[in-house]
Amino acid sequence: MSERTYYDILGVARDADEKALKAAFRKKAMEHHPDRNAGCSVSEGKFKELSEAYDVLQDQQKRAAYDRFGKAGVNGGGAQRPEDVRDAFSDIFSEFFGSRQQTRTGPARGADLRYDYEVTLEEAFLGKQAEITVPSTDRCDACSGSGAEAGTSPETCAACAGHGRVRVQQGFFTMERTCGRCQGSGNVIKSPCKSCAGRGALRREKALSVSIPAGIEDGQRIRLAGEGEPGARGGPKGDLYIFVTVKEHDIFERDGQTLYARAPVPMCAAALGGEIELPTIEGGRTRISIPEGAQTGKRMRLKGKGMPSIQGGPAGDLFVELFVETPRDLSAKQKDLLRQFSAECSDRCHPESHGFFNRVKRFFDQEDSRA
């Protein structure tokens, strides 16, 4: 059996360009990387084989010699790994462990915080001034957030030279890790502040006043700038975000600025017409006229009785949907009266039922004629 060529090992054509070579090497190296296949001698062998193949083919002179003489043309395959191969390995490490970033040893912005706050639909309609108490981390005044005792200051970490990360050599790989001495800060505090134990911040409760605007919707948030966590090493504070939840209402359902209510109407009131009284979201009352012969599903629109817009402008509408309630638990006399009423009713009194059952009759007649 003929020996596999470097092109076969990488899985590329003999005319593959530099970009195709690098892409093929990265893909296969990721698959057989020792960190992903710990203790697997097969993967280790394949990884070394891939490294050797890429080392030769990415170098134009070595590739030309290999194409002409095979491995004998490149010193029997014992090639030295050039800088380009190290660059490719560096790309692979970025995918394994995330992109390498320059550690910031200066002030860093603090983290943002979240606070969940629930309001009723009425409060969402009117808006309100809410008083909340949130757990807070405030900058230590004794050390001005540095974490070092007054009169001293943090010193540059000697282990990482202030970078916050150290390089570790493992075989022919160079890896970066968070500095264990300074925990990635780049600084070491030799005389910690007694008030905050070197943390640069103190935990306490904080009372805040939050303005809930009229018309706010479920899931919207309010930003309080500079009310989040203080930044490291004296950096600026993050923000506090108030996430608002609007409670479900017993009567109204909301869709943006539009409100919906479903109102039961007694059968007699729906047949004869009448009025019903309903509350409005602003706290008032309104009377709705029920037209004679009203059916379930009929909608009555009350203009401007919905929710205000948080951006301003006219309020939405309130839609009241009727459903006709059939009486139950009837007495013997009531049942007798209904039978008399039913006997007096003609098809004209129930046009929907009359039309529907006429269509049903025609359908059955057609089926019978086909039989």
Side-chain angles (χ1 to χ4, degrees), residues 116-292:
D116 295 325
Y117 189 76
E118 189 177 63
V119 298
T120 64
L121 188 61
E122 288 84 357
E123 290 172 333
F125 173 84
L126 296 171
K128 67 176 293 188
Q129 199 69 24
E131 302 297 325
I132 64 173
T133 301
V134 297
S136 173
T137 304
D138 288 338
R139 186 178 294 112
C140 176
D141 293 332
C143 64
S144 300
S146 70
E149 188 65 33
T152 68
S153 59
E155 299 179 5
T156 301
C157 176
C160 64
H163 295 294
R165 300 181 71 82
V166 293
R167 291 189 175 186
V168 180
Q169 190 76 26
Q170 290 188 351
F172 53 83
F173 295 113
T174 300
M175 303 175 63
E176 281 193 355
R177 293 177 178 169
T178 301
C179 178
R181 186 181 181 195
C182 66
Q183 304 302 316
S185 68
N187 296 319
V188 175
I189 300 174
K190 291 190 174 180
S191 300
C193 172
K194 294 182 176 62
S195 298
C196 65
R199 291 187 295 269
L202 298 170
R203 299 291 296 179
R204 54 171 64 103
E205 295 285 316
K206 178 167 57 177
L208 295 172
S209 180
V210 183
S211 179
I212 308 294
I216 194 163
E217 296 190 37
D218 187 78
Q220 289 187 320
R221 65 183 188 178
I222 300 168
R223 173 175 171 261
L224 299 183
E227 296 294 349
E229 293 280 4
R233 298 174 295 278
K237 290 185 176 183
D239 300 330
L240 172 65
Y241 287 91
I242 311 296
F243 282 76
V244 177
T245 301
V246 181
K247 292 175 63 176
E248 291 187 3
H249 199 273
D250 291 337
I251 297 174
F252 301 112
E253 290 186 12
R254 180 184 185 182
D255 183 7
Q257 289 183 253
T258 304
L259 291 179
Y260 297 92
R262 193 164 181 262
V265 180
M267 185 184 71
C268 293
L272 301 174
E275 285 188 340
I276 58 174
E277 187 176 74
L278 288 176
T280 54
I281 191 62
E282 70 265 25
R285 299 182 180 185
T286 185
R287 299 189 71 82
I288 300 176
S289 297
I290 307 300
E292 185 177 314

